[in-house]
Structures are given as C-alpha cells and as structure tokens.
Amino acid sequence: MPGDYFPPMPARVLITMDDLSTAVPLNAALEAAGFSTAMFSSLDDAARTVRRESPDLVVLTGAVHEPHALQLAALARDAEISTLALLEPTDSERAERVGRLGVTETMMKPVAPDDALATARRLIERRGLQQRTGIFGESAAIQEVLVKIEQMAPVSSTVLIQGDSGTGKELVAKAIHDLSPRRGKPFIAVNCAALPETLLESELFGHEKGAFTGAAERRLGRFELADTGTIFLDEIGEIPPSTQVKLLRVLESRTFFRVGGTQPIKVDVRVLAATNRSLREAVTLGDFRDDLYYRLNVLTIYLPPLRERREDIPLLVRRFVRELAREHDRSFRGITPEAMQRLVSAPWPGNVRQLRNLIESMVVLAPGAEIRASDIPADVMEGPGSLLPVRLPAQARDFAGGGHELEFILRSLLDLKLQVEELRRRLDQGPQRVQVIELGDHASVDVLSDGDGDGQEAEPPVLYRSGMTMAEVEKAAISAALQEHRGNRRRAAEVLGIGERTLYRKIKAYHLE
Ligand SMILES: Nc1ncnc2c1ncn2[C@@H]1O[C@H](COP(=O)(O)OP(=O)(O)OP(=O)(O)O)[C@@H](O)[C@H]1O
Ligand SMILES: [Mg+2]
C-alpha cells in the first residue's frame, strides 16, 4: 500500500556559525541537496542538540583549536558522530595536531560549497555503512573494505576474504550477504578446518541413505541448504585435495553430487570464502590447487592486522566499552587518555577479537566508572605468545582475606570465560582434543592434536612433566606443534602464537631441525 511507505529521514547536519562567510553558503548547499541542517552560534546549543538529536555530521567552521570547538568535537566523537573541520590556511602547520584532536576529516578554506557537500555526503554515507555492517574503523584500510563490500554486495561473484585470526573476516562475509539482494535468504557458514575429510564432504554436499555406514537417512548438505542464499566457506585453506576438486566443480557449474548419489544437483548459491593463511603460498607449497585458487580469487578483500591500523583502536575501544557496559549493565564513563594510549600501542596478536575480549573483562572488573591504565593486565602489552598457553588461575591462596575476594572471583570467572571462548575457537579450527594436565597448585590447559584425525585414540604428547625446565617445556611444545602441522613452520608458529622468525631461531637453538 502506498500509504505504508515512509521515506527515509533526511540526514541531519549541524554547522557552527563561527565563520559566517563559510557557514551560510554551505548551509544553503546542504539544504538544496536535501539535508536537514541547523546552524549554531553557541557551544551550549550545539552540545544540547548533539546529545538530543544525534545528528549525522557536525561541521566546525571556526578555529578548531578553540576550547569550545574542541569540546564539541570530543562530544561528537564520543557519540560516534563524524566531524568535518574547515580550517584556516594558517591552521595548516597544525594539521598534524588537528588529526590528533579527533575530528574525522579536515578541509582547507576557502572551501567551495559543492566540495564540502561532497565530503559531507561521503562522511554521512560512511557512518551509515559502518552502522549497518557493524564494521568500525577510521583507517584507510577499513574505509577501503567498506567501499569494496558495497561494490561487491550486489553481484553474485565469489569473494575471497583474507586476514589474520580475529581481524573481522566473518563480519565482512555477513555484511556482504546482508547488503546483497540475497539478504533474508540463508547465510550458511561452514568451518572447513573443523571436520575430517569424509565428514566435510557429506557436510558440504549431503549424502544419500546408505552412502556409508551410519548414513541411515538422506541428509542435505550445506550447499543445498544455502540455495538462493550465500555459503561462507571459512578456513578454506584447510580443505583436503579431494574436496578441492569437488569444490572446483561446484564453482564452475554450480552442480554437485550428494555423497553416494548419482543425480547431479544444481543450486543457486553465492560463495564467500575466508582464510587466515596465504592461499598463494599454499599453492606454491602444493597444498592448494591453483585452478581452485584462481576460481576463488575473483574478488578479494584483505583485512590487515590491527597493529597495522592502530588509528582504528580508539573508535573500536569506545564502541566496545559502550556496547559491553550496556550488555553487563554497568554505567561507565569511558576510558582515561593514558589507558587509551596504552591500548593503541599494544601488540594485539589476537587482533580485534582480543581487543573486544579485553574490553569485556575490563568493563566487568574495573573498580571505578572508567577504565584506567592500571586496569590493563600487564600481559596485554607483552605481545605474541601471551595468549598461549591457556592457563587456569590457581593462585587462590594469594587472596585469602582482604577485600579482594570478589574481584578475584570475578576475574577468575572472566578469565575462564575467555579461555573457554579461545578453546572453542581452536576446537572449531581443527580436529583437536583438549587435555588438562594437573600440576599441583598450577593447572594448565593445552590443546593437543590427535594428528591424523582418523578417530584413533593416539597417545597425546605430554607437554609438561614434573621437574621440566621452561626451556624443555618450550622445546617440547615446538616439537609437538611441528609434528601436528607436519613440519609446516608457518602453521606451527601461528598456533604457538610466535613469529615465524622466532620459531626458526628456536628450532636452531633447540636443534630441532
Ligand atoms: N572492524 C570491526 N568493527 C567492529 N567489530 C569488529 C571489527 N572487526 C572484528 N570485530 C569483532 O571482532 C571479533 C572477531 O571478528 P571475526 O569473528 O569476524 O574475525 P575472523 O577474522 O573471522 O577471525 P577467525 O579467523 O579467528 O575466525 C568479533 O566479535 C567481531 O564482531
Ligand atoms: Mg572467522
């Protein structure tokens, strides 16, 4: 019914009136382009409106270093509202400082109203896209990812998403589906590393009744379940060779056979794939078919590690603090500048996932209404390796008496929650088994592979025995990791959470070659 249609609200832009000769023509241009605008002369007015209306953009036309402009920019930033600062040419030498003031974008006066309009439109669209996709970041890399998502969503081509663990690959896949004409249709994710070869095939393509022992019923595979929608093949680099051939056929003809079936099945499925290992390298190593690689590599999105886009960290931190404070029902003011600075400079081997988990633990545990530098656990600043091995807290006796029991209990519970998440993630990644080794007062959890994944209960290597030195434990861990990944040093370094170079050094030092 025509009466049911409500046109989208026009975007709302606030303009400060510090410089009328800039503000007035810009206001006119924005209004003519269909924006809803308001001009303000006092900070109080603007601040009240920012709080009340949550506009889409604030344009600062005056000296951006004035305290009132700074306050307004900070207010907008905290509310995730973009700011465009129009600078005097004399501000140019301070441009670098302007960046640090936290405005989203700057332009140098004199500014043609049409140019400012184009920039305003871009900033508003970007904000809208971040909110629709849940992918936040100020870096050029994230802006490029968002633009690519928008361009790639409408078509049906295969997209290969590459990036380290925790960089947001699944978020990107979901965003492509949600912005595509297939939204509302199935989005089916398969973790290709989580299943042994035989199970993976029947999981992907389904099987007929009696196809193998235990196949009591016909079962539809993920490709059939994803018909008319999207299939997300996560960890595609781990697909065994025989499945690679079958996948290649699906990508070429969109047809396949159920395991044990003779009828070809045709589906209309968009394929998105993700990997945290370099597929090009896997091709060189002979682990991955080159024809399949070229089929997958039609459109690509690369998510750089968080340490290479540190300018995203403040925005992500503020977002996670707000979101998690709400989730845990804690009223929170935010984070001190010093604490923020530390988070910006931390190494983040676990990328955005690690950052989010850390914020969650701090939101729950921080004693005050804001996160302070002293609330950040020391190991966060230490770099790769601090994620592993997964530890169970065993220092309860240190907390006998005093007022720390509650904090200790909360911290322990949260540690456990994060460890369970980490373990679940690792178990999702491969046919692995968890073994808890009792160590008296100190307990340790190690993730050990059962090797060939044939279900045989092979004796897992023991990584710690009473009396072992740290060096012996390290040597044993490295040798177990190498064995588990059949000598693949890159994978071994990855699971150990250390750099490949470090691994090489240690292999030499421990004579493991
Ligand atoms: N740009 C971002 N903005 C907001 N949240 C993000 C962003 N990137 C990642 N996240 C969050 O970080 C966590 C990890 O993201 P995701 O699961 O998509 O990573 P991944 O690359 O698939 O990791 P893995 O390789 O380990 O599967 C999720 O909670 C996700 O919501
Ligand atoms: Mg993932």
Side-chain angles (χ1 to χ4, degrees):
M1 270 199 297
D4 287 345
Y5 177 72
F6 294 98
M9 296 267 288
R12 178 100 171 132
V13 184
L14 295 190
I15 307 168
T16 64
M17 286 203 294
D18 302 274
D19 172 2
L20 278 179
S21 63
T22 305
V24 171
L26 175 60
N27 186 51
L30 285 164
E31 278 198 330
F35 291 97
S36 147
T37 64
M39 296 210 286
F40 288 90
S41 55
S42 85
L43 168 71
D44 283 352
D45 267 1
R48 215 172 302 125
T49 311
V50 165
R51 284 204 197 89
R52 199 178 50 226
E53 292 184 16
S54 185
D56 301 281
L57 177 69
V58 174
V59 184
L60 303 165
T61 61
V64 76
H65 296 93
E66 296 288 327
H68 76 278
L70 285 179
Q71 275 181 43
L72 188 54
L75 197 71
R77 196 184 56 218
D78 286 345
E80 282 179 16
I81 296 163
S82 309
T83 42
L84 170 60
L86 307 180
L87 305 178
E88 299 294 339
T90 47
D91 282 329
S92 63
E93 74 277 12
R94 304 193 201 154
E96 186 218 341
R97 271 181 58 202
V98 170
R100 270 188 268 141
L101 297 174
V103 295
T104 319
E105 190 132 337
T106 59
M107 293 176 84
M108 212 56 82
K109 291 180 196 170
V111 181
D114 279 353
D115 291 346
L117 176 64
T119 306
R121 187 171 270 143
R122 182 163 50 77
L123 291 176
I124 291 168
E125 278 173 8
R126 187 201 285 179
R127 179 173 124 90
L129 199 55
Q130 299 211 350
Q131 275 168 342
R132 267 186 294 156
T133 57
I135 300 170
F136 289 86
E138 308 263 26
S139 63
I142 288 296
Q143 301 318 318
E144 196 184 312
V145 165
L146 287 168
V147 169
K148 281 187 159 184
I149 289 174
E150 232 185 351
Q151 292 170 334
M152 294 175 182
V155 297
S156 273
S157 318
T158 301
V159 182
L160 179 63
I161 306 161
Q162 293 183 273
D164 285 355
S165 186
T167 49
K169 296 185 294 297
E170 182 148 3
L171 207 55
V172 167
K174 194 73 187 29
I176 294 176
H177 174 75
D178 287 342
L179 295 182
S180 81
R182 293 169 184 262
R183 70 179 151 269
K185 301 281 167 51
F187 174 84
I188 305 281
V190 190
N191 186 332
C192 302
L195 298 163
E197 193 166 340
T198 46
L199 280 183
L200 178 62
E201 279 193 15
S202 81
E203 194 67 31
L204 288 175
F205 309 119
H207 61 73
E208 296 292 346
K209 186 174 173 177
F212 46 83
T213 328
E217 297 294 334
R218 164 190 285 177
R219 185 157 177 254
L220 300 189
R222 302 285 179 108
F223 269 98
E224 275 181 275
L225 295 173
D227 196 15
T228 73
T230 304
I231 194 165
F232 173 47
L233 302 173
D234 205 357
E235 311 274 6
I236 189 117
E238 306 305 318
I239 288 197
S242 66
T243 316
Q244 289 180 26
V245 186
K246 294 186 176 147
L247 194 57
L248 180 66
R249 193 172 54 227
V250 184
L251 292 180
E252 278 168 348
S253 63
R254 292 294 189 266
T255 57
F256 57 89
F257 295 89
R258 294 191 193 112
V259 176
T262 48
Q263 284 290 318
I265 297 177
K266 196 160 178 66
V267 284
D268 165 24
V269 171
R270 180 174 197 182
V271 178
L272 306 177
T275 173
N276 56 23
R277 68 187 285 207
S278 158
L279 280 193
R280 194 194 298 268
E281 204 177 290
V283 170
T284 319
L285 289 171
D287 290 346
F288 206 81
R289 294 178 66 102
D290 57 353
D291 44 8
L292 178 58
Y293 171 63
Y294 294 122
R295 272 279 164 191
L296 288 169
N297 203 22
V298 182
L299 301 174
T300 60
I301 291 184
Y302 171 63
L303 288 160
L306 193 55
R307 65 178 175 278
E308 286 174 18
R309 47 182 169 105
R310 294 185 185 275
E311 61 273 43
D312 290 344
I313 294 173
L315 179 64
L316 290 171
V317 167
R318 278 193 291 271
R319 234 205 118 64
F320 293 152
V321 168
R322 196 168 321 125
E323 183 187 320
L324 293 162
R326 206 180 310 128
E327 191 176 303
H328 292 286
D329 215 8
R330 290 213 60 184
S331 65
F332 234 74
R333 257 207 317 278
I335 175 163
T336 65
E338 193 196 348
M340 182 68 96
Q341 194 43 50
R342 280 208 192 182
L343 294 181
V344 168
S345 53
W348 302 120
N351 295 297
V352 188
R353 177 183 291 108
Q354 187 194 2
L355 176 64
R356 195 175 190 285
N357 285 345
L358 175 73
I359 301 287
E360 177 164 15
S361 76
M362 293 197 299
V363 162
V364 174
L365 298 173
E370 61 184 352
I371 292 170
R372 293 157 311 161
S374 55
D375 297 325
I376 302 173
D379 60 357
V380 170
M381 309 306 295
E382 280 164 15
S386 58
L387 286 180
L388 285 172
V390 181
R391 289 179 305 274
L392 289 174
Q395 61 276 60
R397 56 188 151 61
D398 295 344
F399 286 87
H404 298 296
E405 289 94 334
L406 186 60
E407 185 188 337
F408 168 72
I409 291 167
L410 284 172
R411 188 173 281 283
S412 305
L413 283 173
L414 217 88
D415 269 359
L416 275 173
K417 174 172 179 264
L418 298 181
Q419 288 164 19
V420 167
E421 266 179 26
E422 176 73 11
L423 282 173
R424 187 177 299 144
R425 204 173 63 73
R426 281 163 178 279
L427 287 168
D428 273 353
Q429 284 178 348
Q432 295 173 321
R433 199 165 66 238
V434 178
Q435 189 191 23
V436 179
I437 305 170
E438 288 298 333
L439 301 175
D441 275 346
H442 300 271
S444 140
V445 180
D446 291 298
V447 180
L448 299 172
S449 165
D450 67 358
D452 49 18
D454 62 4
Q456 285 293 313
E457 291 285 307
E459 193 55 27
V462 173
L463 289 192
Y464 179 79
R465 255 182 241 99
S466 177
M468 277 170 95
T469 64
M470 199 59 211
E472 287 168 328
V473 172
E474 195 178 50
K475 182 177 173 186
I478 290 173
S479 129
L482 284 168
Q483 209 180 336
E484 181 187 348
H485 294 283
R486 299 186 193 88
N488 183 332
R489 293 180 177 189
R490 188 165 185 277
R491 290 290 296 157
E494 242 170 50
V495 298
L496 289 167
I498 59 176
E500 231 178 314
R501 244 179 242 280
T502 315
L503 180 64
Y504 273 78
R505 245 192 315 113
K506 290 186 189 287
I507 287 175
K508 257 199 155 36
Y510 293 131
H511 305 292
L512 287 169
E513 295 150 300

